[in-house]
Amino acid sequence: MPSVNSRDLRGSRAIIFALLALVPCSSLRAQVTRPDAEKQLAHDIYKQFVEIQSAYTTGSTTPVAEAAAARLKAAGFSDSDIFLGGGSEKKGNIVVRYRGTGARKPILLLAHTDVVEARREDWTMDPFQFIERDGFFYGRGTGDDKAQAAVWIANLIRYKQEGYKPDRDIIVALTADEEGGGPFNGVDWLIKNHRDLIDAEFALNEGGWGDESHGKKIANNLQVSEKYVMNFRLEVHNKGGHSSLPVADNAIYRLAAALGRLSDLGFPLKTNEVTSEYFRRIAKVDSSSAKDDLARVADGSQDAMQRVAAASPTWNATLRTTCVATRLEGGHAMNALPQLAAAAVNCRVLPEDSVDYVRSTLQKVVADNEVAVNLLGEPSAGTASPMRPDILKAVTDATNASWPGVPVVPVMVMGATDGKALRIAGIPTYGIQGFFLDRDDIRFHGRDERMGVQSFYEGQAFLYDLVRRLTKP
Ligand SMILES: [Zn+2]
């Protein structure tokens, strides 16, 4: 996921950690993993993927797609069930279909194969060498997102070896340029050019991983929805003049006054299907004085929302759309009245709030016709995936089977993944990985990115089990 999001994700998790830190987790760590031969296969694919340089400008995702195709063909997948293609030569994607009985619409398993750039001099080891050391796998993409990519392929090969007959097709898509975005984003490209190949009832993707602290598993997160971003430029123009002859109508003062009013703005506090369930679940395991308020938030109490929002920036951002000034510019000389004053305002919008609603709210708050409120770009509203009881149950059951006592917590995150494009295209997408990461040491996009060896194999087993539960005849 893009860096800004990973930070946001971490932020959004802080609340979960804060609340769940005191929850006694089961001391029975099931440590379910797949048999050695399957672990070896997943390991080998993982290593192969990580050692292929696939960053936005310094690499290519095509060799990753080709490597996956070769593995699948060797395992008996037919050419006609494997698609290779992409927005450009270097931005290859692979889509493979494992055929089921067709009783239900397919499930799509998604992972991106591009990575954030990594320079050798920034790392303590070669970022494109897959190294196992002290219980961790090191290398760019070990966390984001080649573990899930490798596991999808390894597990698909295993289902084939077992002769497993799911009640729906299982589609795996490994796609380009989630990090860089731009014209070659594999999910965008597939939706526009080969929608039939990835059309599914719902998709599983990155975006929800397991939270671990000091070796204890805190929660298995299920990412169900995402806020979306809207940027505005507030602008005041004035004819200006000599600074020795000031007049009341001043661009900087006008803008400052508008920003002052904006600083007092609080969008309405509310919950949606996802966030009310989130508050309900954390209320159950919370042992602090906030416990009762959290439960009341889930039931829609405005008073409780006020207190909970005031208690934490993350809860505040979970309960409302937010807009905040992030940049300023104005004036052109020390001795001139400003002809221009401008501010950037960044909004993080709940999926259910529209572009028009946010814009007109800002205009009302600014309350000055001389202050233009200009929307930048064309934001496409995010949509939440429905909280389907069958999916929640499958995730909960698979979590209990792997890690008894660890709660599943549905989350809305402040950032975006490829899941957003799929949701907009009408394919509900759920972020679920089962890879547990130390909440204080998430290295996605950073130096010495790594994944715990045990976490990787447990995630493999969890995803193997979860997909079977969701495709069982
Ligand atoms: Zn990612």
Side-chain angles (χ1 to χ4, degrees):
M1 50 197 54
S3 56
V4 61
N5 302 329
S6 125
R7 216 165 37 237
D8 291 341
L9 285 171
R10 225 165 27 220
S12 82
R13 274 183 177 83
I15 31 176
I16 301 168
F17 309 144
L19 282 165
L20 300 184
L22 300 175
V23 177
C25 284
S26 169
S27 54
L28 283 168
R29 294 185 60 198
Q31 301 194 336
V32 177
T33 56
R34 300 299 303 162
D36 284 349
E38 287 176 52
K39 287 165 69 178
Q40 187 66 46
L41 177 65
H43 167 277
D44 293 350
I45 297 172
Y46 191 25
K47 176 180 193 318
Q48 187 178 18
F49 284 2
V50 169
E51 293 190 342
I52 295 170
Q53 298 202 22
S54 58
Y56 186 68
T57 53
T58 56
S60 168
T61 59
T62 305
V64 182
E66 287 169 349
R71 297 248 177 208
L72 291 160
K73 284 177 191 175
F77 283 80
S78 70
D79 286 1
S80 60
D81 286 334
I82 298 172
F83 169 87
L84 289 168
S88 86
E89 215 173 289
K90 286 182 147 188
K91 308 295 184 183
N93 310 290
I94 179 170
V95 183
V96 55
R97 182 173 298 254
Y98 182 75
R99 302 207 174 256
T101 63
R104 291 193 287 170
K105 221 180 155 185
I107 179 176
L108 172 64
L109 310 179
L110 184 73
H112 65 87
T113 54
D114 62 307
V115 294
V116 170
E117 311 284 345
R119 295 184 306 177
R120 175 66 188 89
E121 59 269 32
D122 295 338
W123 281 50
T124 55
M125 71 279 282
D126 181 349
F128 295 100
Q129 215 189 319
F130 185 79
I131 294 167
E132 181 177 345
R133 183 184 295 167
D134 305 330
F136 291 92
F137 293 125
Y138 286 86
R140 173 57 90 225
T142 46
D144 185 11
D145 183 25
K146 286 177 169 173
Q148 194 157 22
V151 161
W152 288 146
I153 297 294
N155 286 351
L156 204 63
I157 288 172
R158 183 59 197 157
Y159 298 142
K160 179 133 190 127
Q161 288 168 345
E162 290 170 346
Y164 176 55
K165 199 71 183 169
D167 69 349
R168 50 171 34 131
D169 290 358
I170 301 172
I171 303 168
V172 171
L174 306 187
T175 58
D177 284 6
E178 189 270 347
E179 305 289 2
F184 304 119
N185 176 274
V187 171
D188 273 347
W189 188 83
L190 285 165
I191 289 169
K192 286 190 187 111
N193 296 284
H194 294 280
R195 168 72 191 242
D196 55 312
L197 289 177
I198 57 163
D199 205 29
E201 189 176 313
F202 61 91
L204 305 185
N205 185 28
E206 64 170 347
W209 61 77
D211 285 325
E212 196 170 276
S213 177
H214 303 290
K216 273 193 174 172
K217 293 180 170 60
I218 311 290
N220 197 16
N221 294 314
L222 174 67
Q223 185 235 29
V224 184
S225 73
E226 305 174 338
K227 275 184 146 180
Y228 70 106
V229 181
M230 226 180 275
N231 286 305
F232 292 89
R233 181 173 162 91
L234 270 47
E235 222 172 67
V236 185
H237 290 273
N238 188 284
K239 65 181 163 53
H242 201 287
S243 62
S244 63
L245 299 169
V247 293
D249 184 19
N250 176 298
I252 288 177
Y253 293 158
R254 272 201 117 108
L255 179 71
L259 291 175
R261 291 189 287 277
L262 178 65
S263 73
D264 291 331
L265 166 66
F267 277 84
L269 292 162
K270 56 189 175 186
T271 56
N272 55 37
E273 197 187 23
V274 176
T275 58
S276 63
E277 187 61 28
Y278 162 77
F279 282 109
R280 188 165 293 120
R281 289 193 178 218
I282 57 172
K284 273 188 196 143
V285 293
D286 183 65
S287 53
S288 77
S289 58
K291 184 182 179 73
D292 290 345
D293 270 345
L294 293 169
R296 274 187 226 116
V297 165
D299 292 334
S301 157
Q302 277 292 317
D303 288 353
M305 286 187 210
Q306 292 283 0
R307 288 189 293 273
V308 164
S312 142
T314 311
W315 279 336
N316 180 58
T318 304
L319 286 167
R320 58 162 45 122
T321 289
T322 61
C323 290
V324 63
T326 52
R327 300 189 72 177
L328 270 180
E329 66 177 274
H332 56 282
M334 281 291 238
N335 55 2
L337 299 173
Q339 288 181 256
L340 167 75
V345 173
N346 178 260
C347 301
R348 300 300 174 114
V349 185
L350 292 173
E352 56 272 25
D353 285 351
S354 72
V355 176
D356 283 346
Y357 165 71
V358 174
R359 179 171 36 202
S360 65
T361 302
L362 287 188
Q363 278 162 341
K364 259 180 238 154
V365 168
V366 163
D368 182 347
N369 289 333
E370 295 295 308
V371 181
V373 177
N374 296 320
L375 176 64
L376 304 178
E378 289 175 22
S380 49
T383 55
S385 302
M387 286 276 297
R388 289 176 45 154
D390 57 335
I391 292 175
L392 199 54
K393 181 177 188 317
V395 173
T396 303
D397 290 349
T399 300
N400 280 330
S402 278
W403 310 286
V406 174
V408 173
V409 177
V411 292
M412 175 187 73
V413 295
M414 311 311 161
T417 65
D418 279 335
K420 183 183 170 189
L422 286 177
R423 290 188 186 106
I424 290 169
I427 302 173
T429 301
Y430 301 87
I432 184 80
Q433 297 193 295
F435 300 124
F436 277 78
L437 304 170
D438 185 333
R439 73 191 200 199
D440 297 320
D441 196 11
I442 290 172
R443 301 183 183 190
F444 292 9
H445 299 200
R447 82 198 283 260
D448 299 349
E449 182 177 347
R450 68 183 188 179
M451 164 78 73
V453 171
Q454 183 68 14
S455 287
F456 174 72
Y457 292 126
E458 288 183 20
Q460 175 194 11
F462 168 77
L463 291 173
Y464 172 92
D465 180 28
L466 176 62
V467 170
R468 277 192 81 120
R469 288 174 192 270
L470 291 167
T471 59
K472 247 203 296 230

